[in-house]
Amino acid sequence: MHCFMGRKRVVVEANLRTAFADQRSLEDIRRISRDVFKNFTSSFMDLLYLPKIKVLGFEKIVTLEGRENIDAALAKGKGCIFLAIHSGSWELASLVGSMSEHPYNVVANDQPKAPKLNEFLNDYRRLAGAKVIPAGTATRDILRALQANEIVSLVLDQGGKGGVAVEFFGKTASMSTGAIRLGLKYQTPVCPVWMERQPSGLHVLKVFPALKLESTDDWEKDVRDNIQRAVRIVEGLLRANPSEAMWFYKIYKYTTQADVLILDDGKMGHLRQSQAVEESLRAALSKINKKVRLKTLEVVFKSRWHQKLFAVYCWKAQFFSFLRKEEALKVFVKDSCYKNLLSFKPDYIISCGSQMAGISFILSKIWSVHPIHILKPGILFYRW
């Protein structure tokens, strides 16, 4: 699947680079990307085997850790909210309903473009012991379930337009607010959960102690701060097991932050022009409520000969896409410069002068971002 799902692969690698560019090497990120697709394929096969798993016994496939945290949360009599992200074999998490011996509810988003798939998934969720709450009546049915002291599973990721932007691996991303809002309003315990695949092919569902939700007189700030605390837990889990998450959607689509990279060729005049463009860009982004995080990197070639050869290489790369690779930069620029260039995943690249045109061109293709170049781009075509 990694080879054939080109568009999804671009999204996965863009997310991974945004999250881990400053922590992991390029080789690591590529390996994680392949593992993400492997886990996704395995999760789909797990779903198809669910009827057989039920016959064998759920406890032989999934180990439930933190049962005592479930019991402690439900002992308060206000129900329990499981706060999860799409990790591991996600649909097998519905098995917790049977394994915990407590009624379990899952909110199911409709698949309007694939009604048969929607029906298929809901049938399998019920087979696993879960009650399905349709998204259209979610609030009413969720409250009813909590009042009956049942478990309700809600997701933290994929907040979309209605979510709250909090920091996620150094850059803001939209997260769902439903679980935290319910927890604050009704004093319902909110337990983070994590589904993880083991090397043996079996699974572990971990239920953590309920979050200590803090409240003040500022409701929206309380929601944001408590979501941020939950996200910190998720970050820790993902640092240890990054391939367990479903990185297939554009996590940072609704970010309130724009990362800008200025390429510095060592000429003060060029740098000042780039900074002037960055100020204009910052002003434009502020009108759509986006803050700029700026990074300026000096580009140092190994020698003048490497610089000239790189210009020829970039001219050829205009015609042959397979030449637009990170490894090309490693050949021509100094090692420290190469590491710095790949340690920051920008949304915009600003450069000035013919020397930086090629670097901007290659980086913009690597990161799939917007390049802004000042002055004539050497022997590169203007359309780039």
Side-chain angles (χ1 to χ4, degrees):
M1 295 183 71
H2 183 265
C3 297
F4 299 107
M5 298 177 68
R7 290 185 179 180
K8 288 296 183 182
R9 185 174 68 247
V10 169
V11 173
V12 169
E13 292 193 1
N15 287 331
L16 290 172
R17 286 172 171 175
T18 300
F20 300 112
D22 61 339
Q23 305 170 29
R24 293 180 177 269
S25 67
L26 175 63
E27 292 75 15
D28 280 344
I29 289 176
R30 285 177 173 169
R31 176 186 56 78
I32 294 168
S33 176
R34 290 192 294 270
D35 290 343
V36 168
F37 281 88
K38 289 178 183 177
N39 288 339
F40 177 75
T41 304
S42 298
S43 297
F44 181 73
M45 297 306 297
D46 289 338
L47 179 62
L48 296 180
Y49 272 93
L50 190 54
K52 187 175 181 179
I53 294 174
K54 185 174 183 179
V55 174
L56 292 174
F58 297 151
E59 66 282 352
K60 294 182 179 179
I61 305 298
V62 180
T63 300
L64 176 61
E65 292 185 2
R67 187 187 300 270
E68 67 280 3
N69 296 322
I70 301 175
D71 295 336
L74 292 174
K76 297 182 179 180
K78 297 183 178 181
C80 176
I81 297 174
F82 280 180
L83 185 57
I85 68 166
H86 291 84
S87 67
S89 192
W90 169 248
E91 292 297 341
L92 287 189
S94 298
L95 296 176
V96 73
S98 297
M99 298 178 65
S100 67
E101 300 178 354
H102 295 290
Y104 177 79
N105 301 265
V106 58
V107 178
N109 291 318
D110 291 332
Q111 307 288 335
K113 295 183 179 180
K116 292 294 184 182
L117 175 61
N118 189 65
E119 184 179 346
F120 169 78
L121 290 175
N122 286 340
D123 286 344
Y124 270 57
R125 288 162 182 155
R126 295 186 186 97
L127 180 66
K131 299 177 184 178
V132 178
I133 298 178
T137 61
T139 303
R140 182 187 62 198
D141 290 344
I142 288 173
L143 290 176
R144 185 178 297 160
L146 294 177
Q147 289 170 358
N149 204 31
E150 298 179 359
I151 301 169
V152 176
S153 180
L154 297 173
V155 294
L156 176 63
D157 53 348
Q158 301 184 10
K161 291 183 179 180
V164 168
V166 297
E167 187 177 287
F168 182 61
F169 287 106
K171 186 173 182 177
T172 58
S174 178
M175 298 290 168
S176 298
T177 66
I180 297 300
R181 290 183 186 276
L182 288 169
L184 285 170
K185 187 173 182 178
Y186 298 102
Q187 291 79 52
T188 301
V190 179
C191 296
V193 298
W194 172 260
M195 190 73 172
E196 183 178 309
R197 187 184 304 278
Q198 301 298 294
S200 62
L202 303 180
H203 308 269
V204 174
L205 180 63
K206 300 180 180 180
V207 181
F208 295 90
L211 297 171
K212 295 181 180 179
L213 300 179
E214 299 181 6
S215 61
T216 63
D217 295 332
D218 191 334
W219 171 259
E220 292 302 326
K221 183 178 183 298
D222 291 342
V223 171
R224 184 177 293 103
D225 290 348
N226 284 297
I227 289 176
Q228 186 67 78
R229 293 187 185 94
V231 167
R232 292 291 178 239
I233 296 174
V234 172
E235 286 179 336
L237 294 166
L238 287 175
R239 283 193 178 92
N241 299 281
S243 62
E244 291 294 326
M246 306 286 280
W247 298 92
F248 293 100
Y249 69 100
K250 296 179 180 179
I251 296 173
Y252 298 98
K253 181 177 181 179
Y254 297 101
T255 182
T256 58
Q257 177 181 319
D259 292 338
V260 179
L261 173 64
I262 290 180
L263 300 176
D264 179 13
D265 63 357
K267 297 180 180 180
M268 186 57 66
H270 288 172
L271 177 59
R272 290 288 180 261
Q273 291 182 70
S274 296
Q275 290 171 339
V277 170
E278 185 273 329
E279 290 177 3
S280 297
L281 178 61
R282 184 186 295 268
L285 290 171
S286 68
K287 295 179 181 179
I288 56 173
N289 299 318
K290 284 195 175 184
K291 297 181 179 180
V292 169
R293 181 174 63 166
L294 174 65
K295 189 168 187 176
T296 301
L297 291 177
E298 184 176 2
V299 178
V300 183
F301 289 92
K302 291 181 178 179
S303 69
R304 290 189 62 84
W305 281 109
H306 284 89
Q307 181 179 323
K308 294 180 182 297
L309 288 173
F310 181 67
V312 176
Y313 182 91
C314 288
W315 181 79
K316 291 185 177 180
Q318 296 176 110
F319 305 99
F320 304 103
S321 59
F322 69 89
L323 293 176
R324 304 166 196 169
K325 301 294 184 181
E326 298 90 340
E327 291 81 0
L329 297 176
K330 191 173 185 178
V331 173
F332 298 102
V333 302
K334 290 188 175 181
D335 291 342
S336 58
C337 176
Y338 171 75
K339 292 179 181 178
N340 288 333
L341 288 173
L342 295 182
S343 67
F344 184 73
K345 199 278 185 186
D347 298 297
Y348 299 89
I349 300 173
I350 301 176
S351 57
C352 184
S354 59
Q355 293 181 15
M356 294 299 98
I359 299 290
S360 178
F361 170 64
I362 296 294
L363 284 177
S364 67
K365 299 305 175 184
I366 294 172
W367 298 123
S368 297
V369 299
H370 309 285
I372 303 172
H373 187 70
I374 309 166
L375 303 181
K376 187 178 183 298
I379 59 177
L380 291 175
F381 296 142
Y382 282 102
R383 72 171 184 268
W384 296 120

